[in-house]
């Protein structure tokens, strides 16, 4: 009685159930029997795996369509979509699994994860190697995760490597949950936010990437509810649903927000306003095919089809193309053959006996279909789609997002000419940006703008006919996060090379310079080092240094570039740090002069709190503005240097009396400017500083003053003294002193 009662109830409530007998069979069977005539392995090596459930499973890799895992009394792994005969899947005896019972399996990127005898094992199908996961110290029954098929995107990569492992049925408050961000190779203990306060048993834990939430299923008294991890959904439980027995929970591939919960007698679907195909095969040999729409459901029943068996399982190869797969043992060979039954849904729906309405849409297309986009903070995305209805029809397009707490939209549709057949073309323009930037939603509805999130956007048609098999919804994945094409550029209009201070040829010829030990600290604490530091100059990375006069307060001009094009000047808060530990500079503003209302951060406090030394210690994640009230950091030292530049202040760098090269690391720390860690390294050459005096400045000024006073006194006293008796004797002394010189020097005697 698999799902028959539930399907009938759903259809009666929101759609139509058409119980039709079909004279012709749904499909023609064919047997796959290949690979047995060659010298191949004829025995199963290792421990043969098996799946204890009475209901078979088929797990397909969502990104690599040729990969699949069949779970039944026999377990099969295929890399050819069951295009050849297969030996039962086994695990090497060296792994010492004990009872080779598989209770859960999952494709994670380029590996296959299996829970065998309450432990997690990793099978690298490309290298044909096995590993036992590390970090799990308690029994495990299930794993959950997702795959993202948009290659080349780091955000997508993070989805595929995020895995949960847990024991289903444990008390939630005491459940041992593990999380891996290494494709399951290594796990660590995970605690759900309010886990210790939850009452009930653990039905599962999942990372809903299309909602940017971790959801945990809590079951109690034949009911279950979802609890979510982050604002705003963490304030309440989700809607309750029946949980009379343990449910299998399936995340539909593609981050489309589709969740399927089922057991042998019930089936529930959370469809997130998408139009979806659904196929069900029951033990009574009934086959159901349905279209789960936004406003209604349409389900067709094909009775007495003689396609069910204990090993039969279903899979969609493409929209409207279904395959019923059944393993077939071979009495003469250990490899199993496979009976394949292909069902062409579109062809079946054309049967006049079904009286299926013709699809009212001829075309629905958009350039964004099956693509991934990034919307950085303060950015916007424009999408466009084309819809052509059949003559006389007026379908209603519907645009939805899976995560409205983060992503807001505005859609406009208008007539855009006619086709050659005279049909009206309808153009749909969709504008997307952060929900917080639209200014229309309540703060209690929106997620935190500081954290990167994700959402799926779907364009579909309301109340679409079941005959629109080939007209699938248009879906795109939106990352509200870092736009990796952005980068920082520090303006360099006046360089030390262009002014002839430094020679670019010399800078490229293994150039190095010396930092005096009294001017730097390798630990960035402002203490003198033990010895001088020789620094090789990386011209290939830094170019020619910017030229800065030491006695002029200076601030770098920071530019934002994207894909090689200038975007804007950046006025957000940023911080600087000399990478070699030079501390011969300070800042023009104090905390008080910067109008701080709380004690500002600085490099010393940040490094102390993070435990990290160096430029990467301070970023947008741990930056706290001193212009916002902060009871944990009252303004107690208002006269300390204010080490944040940009933003609302005019803070600048003031260099000490020292010439030379400075290599600065710059990082944008304003959490509201970009989700990216915008950072770069650049160099400046400080010039114009005279060498410091050997004597203290006070002593030099005193000696100079005394010298001037002595000169003035001599100017007055010498002429006056020459007219006295002392002056005459002084003259005679000099005359007598000069007489021997005249005798020895004829040139003087002739004068």
């Amino acid at each position: 009685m698999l799902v028959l009662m539930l399907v009938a109830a759903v259809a009666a409530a929101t759609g139509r159930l058409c119980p039709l007998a079909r004279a012709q069979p749904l499909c023609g069977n064919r047997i796959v029997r290949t690979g047995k005539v060659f010298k191949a392995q004829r025995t199963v090596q290792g421990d043969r795996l098996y799946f204890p459930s009475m209901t078979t499973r088929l797990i397909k890799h969502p990104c690599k369509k040729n990969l699949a895992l069949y779970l039944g009394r026999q377990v099969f792994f295929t890399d050819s979509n069951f295009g050849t005969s297969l030996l039962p899947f086994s695990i090497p005896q060296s792994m010492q699994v004990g009872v080779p019972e598989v209770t859960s399996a999952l494709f994670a990127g380029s590996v296959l994860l299996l829970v065998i005898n309450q432990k997690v094992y990793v099978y690298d199908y490309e290298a044909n190697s096995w590993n036992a996961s590390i970090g799990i110290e308690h029994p495990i029954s299930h794993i959950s995760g997702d795959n993202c098929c948009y290659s080349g995107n780091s955000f997508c990569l993070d989805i595929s490597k995020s895995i949960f492992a847990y024991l289903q049925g444990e008390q939630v408050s005491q459940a041992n949950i593990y999380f891996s961000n290494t494709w399951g190779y290594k796990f660590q203990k995970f605690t759900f936010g309010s886990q210790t306060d939850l009452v009930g048993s653990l039905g599962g834990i999942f990372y809903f990437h299309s909602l940017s939430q971790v959801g945990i299923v809590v079951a109690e008294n034949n009911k279950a509810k979802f609890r979510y991890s982050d604002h705003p959904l963490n304030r309440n439980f989700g809607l309750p649903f029946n949980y009379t027995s343990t449910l299998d929970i399936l995340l539909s591939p593609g981050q489309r927000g589709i969740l399927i919960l089922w057991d042998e007698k019930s089936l529930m679907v959370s469809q997130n306003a998408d139009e979806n195909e659904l196929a069900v095969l029951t033990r009574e040999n009934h086959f159901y095919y349905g279209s789960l729409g936004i406003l209604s459901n349409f389900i067709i029943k094909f009775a007495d089809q003689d396609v069910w068996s204990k090993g039969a399982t279903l899979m969609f190869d493409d929209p409207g193309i279904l395959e019923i797969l059944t393993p077939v043992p071979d009495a003469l060979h250990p490899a199993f053959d496979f009976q394949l039954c292909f069902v062409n849904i579109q062809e079946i729906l054309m049967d006049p006996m079904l009286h299926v309405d013709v699809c009212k849409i001829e075309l629905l297309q958009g350039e964004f279909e099956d693509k991934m986009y990034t919307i950085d903070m303060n950015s916007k995305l424009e999408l466009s789609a084309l819809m052509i209805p059949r003559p006389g029809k007026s379908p209603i397009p519907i645009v939805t997002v899976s995560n409205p707490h983060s992503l807001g939209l505005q859609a406009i549709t208008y007539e855009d000419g006619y086709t050659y057949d005279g049909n009206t073309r309808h153009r749909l323009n969709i504008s997307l940006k952060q929900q917080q930037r639209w200014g229309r939603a309540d703060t209690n509805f929106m997620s935190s703008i500081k954290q990167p999130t994700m959402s799926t956007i779907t364009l579909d048609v309301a109340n679409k006919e079941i005959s629109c098999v080939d007209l699938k919804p248009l879906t795109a994945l939106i990352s509200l996060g870092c736009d990796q094409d952005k980068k920082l550029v520090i303006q360099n209009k006046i360089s030390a090379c262009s002014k002839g201070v430094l020679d670019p040829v010399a800078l490229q010829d293994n150039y190095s310079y010396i930092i005096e030990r009294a001017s730097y600290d390798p630990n960035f604490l402002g203490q003198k080092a033990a010895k001088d530091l020789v620094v090789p100059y990386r011209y290939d990375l830094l170019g020619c240094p910017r030229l800065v006069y030491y006695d002029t307060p200076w601030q770098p001009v920071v530019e934002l570039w994207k894909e090689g094009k200038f975007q804007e000047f950046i006025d957000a808060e940023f911080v600087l740090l000399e990478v070699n530990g030079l501390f011969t500079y300070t800042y023009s503003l104090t905390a008080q002069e910067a109008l701080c209302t709380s004690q500002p951060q600085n490099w010393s406090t940040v490094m102390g709190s993070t435990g990290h030394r160096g430029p990467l210690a301070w970023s947008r994640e741990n930056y706290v503005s001193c212009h916002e009230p902060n009871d944990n950091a009252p303004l107690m030292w208002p006269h300390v240097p204010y080490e944040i530049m940009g933003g609302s202040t005019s803070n600048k760098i003031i260099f000490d009396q020292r010439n030379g090269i400075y290599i600065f690391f710059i990082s944008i720390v304003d959490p509201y400017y970009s989700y990216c860690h915008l950072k770069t390294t650049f160099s400046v050459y400080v010039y114009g500083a005279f060498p410091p005096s050997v004597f203290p400045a006070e002593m030099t000024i005193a000696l100079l003053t005394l010298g001037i006073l002595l000169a003035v006194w001599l100017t007055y006293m010498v002429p006056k003294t020459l007219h006295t008796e002392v002056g005459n004797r002084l003259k005679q002394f000099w005359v007598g002193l000069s007489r021997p010189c005249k005798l020895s020097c004829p040139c003087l005697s002739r004068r």
Side-chain angles (χ1 to χ4, degrees):
M1 291 297 295
L2 179 64
V3 309
L4 176 59
M5 294 174 57
L6 177 68
V7 170
V10 171
T14 60
R16 291 190 292 166
L17 173 64
C18 298
L20 297 173
R22 182 176 170 85
Q24 301 86 9
L26 284 174
C27 56
N29 294 325
R30 71 179 181 90
I31 299 293
V32 173
R33 180 182 174 85
T34 62
K36 295 183 177 181
V37 297
F38 302 103
K39 293 182 179 180
Q41 178 181 333
R42 298 186 60 87
T43 59
V44 177
Q45 303 293 322
D47 295 323
R48 182 180 298 192
L49 301 174
Y50 71 93
F51 185 59
S53 174
M54 297 298 295
T55 306
T56 57
R57 308 282 196 280
L58 186 65
I59 303 172
K60 297 196 68 173
H61 197 301
C63 309
K64 302 173 183 178
K65 302 300 183 183
N66 59 316
L67 297 176
L69 182 72
Y70 174 93
L71 297 175
R73 286 181 295 179
Q74 307 288 342
V75 176
F76 299 99
F77 171 78
T78 177
D79 59 2
S80 63
N81 199 25
F82 299 100
T84 62
S85 301
L86 295 172
L87 288 171
F89 197 38
S90 62
I91 185 171
Q93 291 181 345
S94 60
M95 301 305 296
Q96 299 179 349
V97 298
V99 180
E101 179 182 273
V102 178
T103 55
S104 183
L106 172 73
F107 282 102
S110 61
V111 298
L112 172 65
L113 302 179
L114 299 104
V115 178
I116 305 174
N117 196 18
Q118 297 190 328
K119 296 180 181 179
V120 179
Y121 294 88
V122 183
Y123 176 61
D124 186 337
Y125 49 80
E126 294 179 348
N128 191 28
S129 63
W130 288 85
N131 288 279
S133 296
I134 60 176
I136 296 179
E137 300 176 350
H138 298 85
I140 294 298
S141 66
H142 286 74
I143 50 178
S144 68
D146 204 350
N147 282 273
C148 182
C149 301
Y150 302 94
S151 60
N153 187 286
S154 62
F155 193 84
C156 189
L157 184 65
D158 290 339
I159 293 176
S160 300
K161 65 183 183 181
S162 300
I163 310 294
F164 280 110
Y166 58 95
L167 180 63
Q168 194 176 53
E170 273 194 303
Q171 287 299 306
V172 178
S173 60
Q174 302 175 0
N176 295 294
I177 302 173
Y178 294 89
F179 178 75
S180 171
N181 59 359
T182 59
W183 295 277
Y185 282 98
K186 183 177 181 180
F187 284 85
Q188 60 186 3
K189 199 71 177 293
F190 177 87
T191 301
F192 189 81
S194 57
Q195 180 178 342
T196 56
D197 299 327
L198 299 178
V199 178
S201 61
L202 176 62
I205 183 169
F206 308 90
Y207 204 138
F208 299 122
H209 295 280
S210 62
L211 197 58
S212 298
Q213 297 273 357
V214 174
I216 189 169
V217 180
V218 181
E220 184 183 24
N221 298 328
N222 295 331
K223 293 287 184 180
K225 295 177 287 187
F226 274 96
R227 182 79 181 201
Y228 296 97
S229 57
D230 298 310
H231 178 81
L233 298 182
N234 61 351
R235 293 176 297 169
N236 304 103
F237 280 97
L239 295 176
F241 54 90
N242 292 331
Y243 199 90
T244 56
S245 62
T246 301
L247 293 176
D248 283 298
I249 302 177
L250 172 65
L251 288 175
S252 181
Q255 293 79 52
R256 303 186 184 213
I258 304 172
L259 192 65
I260 300 174
L261 305 92
W262 65 286
D263 61 11
E264 294 187 359
K265 295 184 178 181
S266 62
L267 173 67
M268 292 173 283
V269 179
S270 174
Q271 57 194 30
N272 190 36
D274 291 6
E275 185 86 15
N276 307 289
E277 293 181 279
L278 178 68
V280 177
L281 180 63
T282 70
R283 291 191 178 96
E284 292 77 18
N285 260 321
H286 300 328
F287 175 77
Y288 297 86
Y289 174 80
S291 174
L292 304 181
I294 297 173
L295 301 180
S296 65
N297 301 324
F298 193 100
I299 299 174
I300 299 177
K301 172 186 174 183
F302 300 92
D304 304 324
Q305 288 299 314
D306 195 24
V307 291
W308 183 87
S309 69
K310 289 184 178 180
T313 186
L314 300 174
M315 62 180 177
F316 278 101
D317 283 343
D318 286 302
I321 303 297
L322 187 69
E323 187 174 313
I324 303 174
L325 174 76
T326 307
V328 179
D330 187 338
L332 302 177
H333 199 281
F336 280 63
D337 303 323
F338 292 93
Q339 177 179 290
L340 300 179
C341 176
F342 289 95
V343 181
N344 189 326
I345 299 298
Q346 186 69 61
E347 180 181 346
I348 292 174
L349 295 178
M350 294 176 64
D351 189 333
M353 293 179 57
L354 298 180
H355 304 288
V356 174
D357 293 334
V358 177
C359 183
K360 59 188 173 186
I361 305 294
E362 289 189 350
L363 179 68
L364 181 66
Q365 68 177 19
E367 79 286 352
F368 60 88
E369 181 181 7
D370 293 331
K371 292 183 179 180
M372 184 173 184
Y373 297 89
T374 298
I375 301 178
D376 204 341
M377 200 169 288
N378 305 307
S379 300
K380 189 177 181 180
L381 178 65
E382 300 287 343
L383 303 178
S384 179
L386 177 65
M387 181 181 70
I388 301 178
R390 288 188 177 274
K393 302 295 183 179
S394 299
I396 302 173
I398 294 182
V399 184
T400 59
V401 292
S402 63
N403 189 1
H405 310 285
S406 296
L407 182 62
L409 68 87
Q410 178 174 297
I412 299 175
T413 182
Y414 58 92
E415 294 185 3
D416 188 26
Y418 299 90
T419 66
Y420 291 113
D421 298 333
N423 291 354
T424 304
R425 296 162 50 97
H426 294 266
R427 178 68 59 180
L428 185 69
N429 292 337
I430 306 169
S431 298
L432 297 167
K433 59 183 178 182
Q434 293 166 290
Q435 187 67 271
Q436 295 86 348
R437 301 301 180 188
W438 285 107
R440 299 181 300 204
D442 188 89
T443 55
N444 292 324
F445 177 80
M446 297 182 292
S447 60
S448 172
I449 193 173
K450 291 185 179 181
Q451 301 300 322
T453 55
M454 180 181 146
S455 180
T456 302
I457 179 172
T458 302
L459 171 61
D460 203 358
V461 176
N463 202 23
K464 195 165 57 179
E465 292 81 6
I466 194 173
S467 59
C468 301
V469 173
D470 298 329
L471 207 69
K472 64 177 184 177
L474 307 182
T475 304
L477 190 62
I478 309 296
S479 167
L480 293 127
C482 172
D483 186 344
Q484 297 179 345
D485 293 327
K486 291 182 176 181
K487 68 175 185 177
L488 295 186
V489 174
I490 308 303
Q491 194 178 93
N492 191 10
K493 289 186 176 180
I494 302 177
S495 70
C497 298
S498 64
K499 294 300 182 180
V501 178
L502 295 176
D503 183 3
V505 177
L507 289 175
Q508 298 176 67
D509 188 19
N510 296 324
Y511 182 84
S512 62
Y513 61 96
I514 296 176
I515 299 178
E516 312 82 20
R517 60 184 178 183
S519 300
Y520 84 98
D521 178 6
N523 295 317
F524 303 96
L525 296 175
Q527 305 295 325
K528 295 180 180 180
K531 60 181 180 179
D532 293 347
L533 178 66
V534 178
V535 181
Y537 187 79
R538 293 292 304 276
Y539 186 88
D540 56 329
L541 300 177
L542 300 170
C544 191
R546 293 136 190 86
L547 192 61
V548 177
Y549 183 61
Y550 93 98
D551 201 27
T552 301
W554 167 81
Q555 182 186 52
V557 179
V558 189
E559 300 175 350
L560 179 68
W561 287 63
K562 180 180 178 180
E563 297 178 342
K565 297 180 180 179
F566 170 79
Q567 301 296 310
E568 64 183 11
F569 292 106
I570 296 178
D571 59 0
E573 285 104 336
F574 62 89
V575 292
L576 294 176
L577 185 68
E578 211 286 329
V579 299
N580 296 301
L582 268 169
F583 52 76
T584 53
Y585 62 91
T586 186
Y587 297 85
S588 63
L589 296 181
T590 64
Q592 186 177 52
E593 292 169 336
L595 304 180
C596 289
T597 59
S598 59
Q599 194 67 40
Q601 294 172 301
N602 57 44
W603 281 104
S604 297
T605 59
V606 170
M607 291 182 187
S609 62
T610 61
H612 298 291
R613 299 289 177 187
L616 299 179
W618 206 349
S619 67
R620 64 180 298 272
E621 272 80 16
N622 59 2
Y623 170 71
V624 179
S625 174
C626 72
H627 299 103
E628 298 175 359
N630 187 352
D631 295 335
N632 296 324
L635 185 59
M636 300 180 63
W637 298 280
H639 300 295
V640 298
Y642 179 66
E643 298 186 4
I644 298 99
M645 305 179 72
S648 60
T649 71
S650 58
N651 199 19
K652 295 183 179 180
I653 292 287
I654 298 177
F655 290 98
D656 292 355
Q657 192 174 348
R658 177 188 178 276
N659 296 331
I661 294 176
Y662 291 71
I663 300 176
F664 283 108
F665 172 87
I666 181 173
S667 174
I668 305 297
V669 294
D670 184 351
Y672 300 104
Y673 181 75
S674 171
Y675 290 110
C676 299
H677 289 197
L678 294 172
K679 57 186 183 296
T680 191
T681 305
F682 67 99
S683 62
V684 301
Y685 184 83
V686 177
Y687 76 103
F690 291 103
S693 174
V694 178
F695 302 102
E698 295 82 0
M699 183 179 295
T700 303
I701 295 173
L703 291 175
L704 182 60
T705 303
L706 289 174
I708 294 173
L709 293 175
L710 180 60
V712 173
W713 182 80
L714 290 174
T715 303
Y716 171 75
M717 291 302 297
V718 169
K720 185 176 180 180
T721 305
L722 290 177
H723 297 288
T724 64
E725 182 180 354
V726 176
N728 290 330
R729 278 187 284 188
L730 187 60
K731 287 180 183 179
Q732 291 175 2
F733 170 76
W734 285 109
V735 170
L737 186 64
S738 64
R739 187 175 292 125
C741 295
K742 290 182 179 181
L743 294 176
S744 62
C745 184
C747 62
L748 292 175
S749 62
R750 289 195 296 267
R751 289 185 180 179

